Amino acid sequence: AQKVTQAQTEISVVEKEDVTLDCVYETRDTTYYLFWYKQPPSGELVFLIRRNSFDEQNEISGRYSWNFQKSTSSFNFTITASQVVDSAVYFCALSEPRTTSGTYKYIFGTGTRLKVLA
Amino acid sequence: DAGITQSPRHKVTETGTPVTLRCHQTENHRYMYWYRQDPGHGLRLIHYSYGVKDTDKGEVSDGYSVSRSKTEDFLLTLESATSSQTSVYFCAISPNNQPQHFGDGTRLSIL
């Protein structure tokens, strides 16, 4: 069965510390996509990154970086030199094709709440 | 920003009353989704649509129905609201396997 596990319910760090958010997924498909979303205290969901199953290259965007490892079914997210504005709930998600309707099925993890303290 | 609007943004109602939430998009995307967000559960899919009048159930569809009579609108209806349906509801749109873009959410309280 498809599943996304974010084992870290809540993490607290002091500003400028690096922090890694873990995401482990399960799927039987060879073609799938992985996503990270951010939900700040204001409540909206903001897309951060998409990675397809055939691209294991790590991605860096400013202070954010993502490590995709198919061997361990993980798609971890690291924030370098964290800032108070990074405080949010972060969701990892998996999408894979449905056998019917031609659409993709999205499965979300339960989220990790990150608190960055000044 | 993706053109997606949810209405109402907040609603308080009583058990047993019908409730309809609206999701409106201006992106002409084929796929639309309704999720609910609850503490400890993340986002769970209620129903989704892959075209006008084409809808299917998600993982938590009991007690909910949907309709999509035109591309831009996707309605979620609680026929007889229960307290367990108190939640934050998010609509999302996407061109299939592309990232989903979410509305700002509807906070629904059922007393």
Side-chain angles (χ1 to χ4, degrees), chain A residues 2-105:
Chain A
Q2 308 88 351
K3 189 177 179 182
V4 175
T5 301
Q6 295 181 256
Q8 304 152 308
T9 305
E10 185 170 313
I11 302 174
S12 291
V13 298
V14 176
E15 203 169 21
K16 297 183 184 177
E17 286 185 359
D18 299 347
V19 58
T20 295
L21 309 182
D22 298 332
C23 174
V24 175
Y25 63 92
E26 296 176 28
T27 179
R28 286 173 289 189
D29 281 290
T30 56
T31 300
Y32 54 89
Y33 295 83
L34 296 164
F35 303 82
W36 276 94
Y37 287 86
K38 175 182 179 179
Q39 187 176 42
S42 50
E44 72 273 22
L45 284 151
V46 179
F47 163 74
L48 294 178
I49 190 171
R50 181 186 81 148
R51 172 68 73 229
N52 74 55
S53 54
F54 300 107
D55 183 2
E56 282 194 77
Q57 281 193 336
N58 291 335
E59 176 105 2
I60 298 175
S61 176
R63 296 183 297 106
Y64 295 172
S65 62
W66 291 268
N67 185 323
F68 175 29
Q69 292 193 340
K70 289 179 73 172
S71 60
T72 56
S73 296
S74 65
F75 187 42
N76 296 338
F77 174 28
T78 297
I79 302 174
T80 303
S82 60
Q83 300 176 0
V84 172
V85 293
D86 295 326
S87 296
V89 179
Y90 291 87
F91 291 97
C92 180
L94 163 73
S95 80
E96 55 185 30
R98 294 179 186 273
T99 52
T100 59
S101 79
T103 188
Y104 272 67
K105 177 180 181 180

Side-chain angles (χ1 to χ4, degrees), chain B residues 45 93 107:
Chain B
L45 181 65
I93 62 174
R107 188 171 296 274

Side-chain angles (χ1 to χ4, degrees), chain B residues 43-85:
Chain B
L43 287 155
R44 293 182 291 174
L45 181 65
I46 305 171
H47 281 280
Y48 68 99
S49 170
Y50 48 98
V52 174
K53 298 186 180 177
D54 290 324
T55 64
D56 205 349
K57 297 178 180 180
E59 60 181 305
V60 290
S61 59
D62 287 349
Y64 301 95
S65 63
V66 290
S67 66
R68 192 166 177 202
S69 59
K70 45 187 179 178
T71 300
E72 56 265 36
D73 289 325
F74 191 33
L75 304 181
L76 176 71
T77 298
L78 292 66
E79 300 290 349
S80 178
T82 67
S83 58
S84 64
Q85 294 175 311

